[in-house]
Amino acid sequence: MAAPSSPNDPATDPSPGDLIAARPWLRHDPMAGLLVDGVPLAGIADAVGTPTWVYSAAVMRARYRSLASAMADAGLDMQVHYAVKANDCRAVLALFGAEGAGADVVSGGELLKARRAGVPASRIVFSGVGKSERELRLALSEDIGQINVESAEELSMLSSLADAVGRRARVALRINPDVDAGTNDKITTGRAEDKFGIAYADAAALYAHAAAMPGIEPVGLATHIGSQILALAPYRHAFARVAELVVVLREQGLRVTTVDCGGGLGIPYRNEPAPSPTGLAACMKAAFLGLDVRLAMEPGRWLVGPAGVLLASVVLIKQSPPERFIVLDAGMNELVRPAMYDAWHGIVPVSATDAIAAHSPASVVGPVCESGDTFARSRMLPPLAPKARVAILDAGAYGAVMSSTYNARPLAAEVWVDNERWSVIRDRQPIETLWERERLPE
């Protein structure tokens, strides 16, 4: 659920300098230009070309440890399942697996990718509204930790499949608490009219039914109210409703051992105020600490979003008074969030010389043959020349994972920065692969 930042008045946009100052893993060196964890982006661009995704392993580790510490300091028994949909790069999955995280997957492909990255099956949770029979069979064969069931129909299908192979599926019912997360309509998931989850009023009866079904072991409840959430009040409301349901179920003699709190914690794309893991932990503690349940959560964007940049080069500057268009070699086929959600991303020059030049308004666009292929309007930027480089910030989540080969543009390379060294973790897609699986009809 790739979420946007709300559109804002360009006059209030943070400057490139302000954006870099708020991200201590970034800095401008007077000679080498913009650095990520001490590694010059210009050197990566020279060696690998552009567009290229660049990820900081140190930022991911630090954010995971900060999140885990906030939960532990609040006295919460918490298992973190990284939301694979945010960035499914194997290096990312392996990093969080090594830190002790599990994986929240929403497809059979994500499940297999997490397993191949070394995530134990016992730490995998399978979410999603449309799991197929094939995917559920895979989950059963892998004996994953938990399946978050989204409907009575899915529960019935899973019961039949599990009973047929003599297995018991550990199940949490995903509850729709009818809470508006206050984020974009396209990534709000906890309202009654959204496609996700089981209606709150139906949940207790379905849980009791699940306890009597063959092949099903109900272990708890799950909820997820949306993505890029920038206030804690929706969490408090949703968690309170789930906690009330735990009490109701136990009063009926039903066993409830687990509550999956979902994800959605937002990040400050525009340096705007954003909630902290400590604040989220306080919401969970207030709702669940006295209930003697194991908690789980499914962060994605918060862990990886700030850790990534999209490195791009200027193709040309198009003067079309009163507009100045900075045309990049990266487009909506790489980073679709601005086109899909009107999402805001910081854009900063890589060159130290460009960074100190006078800034003026410009529209930053890509090469794709769509008017929607626009990264920014009226953004204050220097007079960039062709071949100048820019970094599009906070692109580690819902970036490469949502990219496409639209307009027959190959997928970009991906680079890993760790310990002041960098390496390519995905080669740029050879253009020949765009048609190698195609056949002409006889």
Side-chain angles (χ1 to χ4, degrees), residues 107-292:
S107 73
E110 286 189 351
L111 194 163
L112 288 172
K113 202 164 189 183
R115 294 289 289 122
R116 298 308 180 270
V119 180
S122 61
R123 298 209 304 254
I124 293 179
V125 171
F126 198 158
S127 303
V129 72
K131 308 176 194 74
S132 68
E133 287 192 4
R134 180 177 180 180
E135 289 173 321
L136 290 174
R137 287 193 188 97
L138 173 64
L140 291 167
S141 69
E142 291 283 336
D143 194 24
I144 67 169
Q146 182 174 298
I147 299 174
N148 289 349
V149 168
E150 301 242 2
S151 66
E153 293 80 5
E154 180 186 342
L155 185 64
S156 177
M157 179 168 58
L158 179 58
S159 173
S160 297
L161 294 171
D163 190 46
V165 294
R167 289 194 179 261
R168 286 178 62 80
R170 291 174 290 275
V171 163
L173 297 192
R174 176 172 174 174
I175 307 306
N176 185 320
D178 194 17
V179 171
D180 190 339
T183 187
N184 186 280
D185 277 347
K186 294 181 180 178
I187 41 79
T188 295
T189 61
R191 302 171 303 186
E193 63 267 30
D194 295 324
K195 72 178 182 178
F196 296 95
I198 295 157
Y200 191 85
D202 300 336
L206 187 60
Y207 197 95
H209 179 59
M213 297 178 78
I216 298 296
E217 179 188 351
V219 296
L221 304 174
T223 193
H224 194 300
I225 59 172
S227 186
Q228 185 55 13
I229 300 171
L230 294 174
L232 291 174
Y235 284 119
R236 284 193 288 268
H237 188 187
F239 295 160
R241 299 210 78 195
V242 174
E244 290 170 3
L245 190 55
V246 171
V247 173
V248 168
L249 293 172
R250 286 176 171 171
E251 287 174 346
Q252 296 176 11
L254 297 166
R255 178 172 171 266
V256 183
T257 62
T258 299
V259 172
D260 186 338
C261 298
L265 195 63
I267 62 173
Y269 287 97
R270 300 183 75 253
N271 289 0
E272 68 268 47
S276 68
T278 301
L280 182 60
C283 293
M284 295 174 179
K285 181 176 181 178
F288 302 118
L289 190 61
L291 291 182
D292 188 26

Side-chain angles (χ1 to χ4, degrees), residues 432-439:
E432 295 81 7
T433 63
L434 295 178
W435 57 79
E436 69 180 3
R437 295 177 62 83
E438 296 180 13
R439 292 179 178 83

Side-chain angles (χ1 to χ4, degrees), residues 3 17 49 79 119 126 145 193 195 203 259 298 326-327 340 385 411 422:
Q79 173 64 61
V119 180
F126 198 158
E193 63 267 30
K195 72 178 182 178
V259 172
E298 302 161 1
I326 300 174
V327 184
M340 186 177 290
L411 298 175
W422 66 271

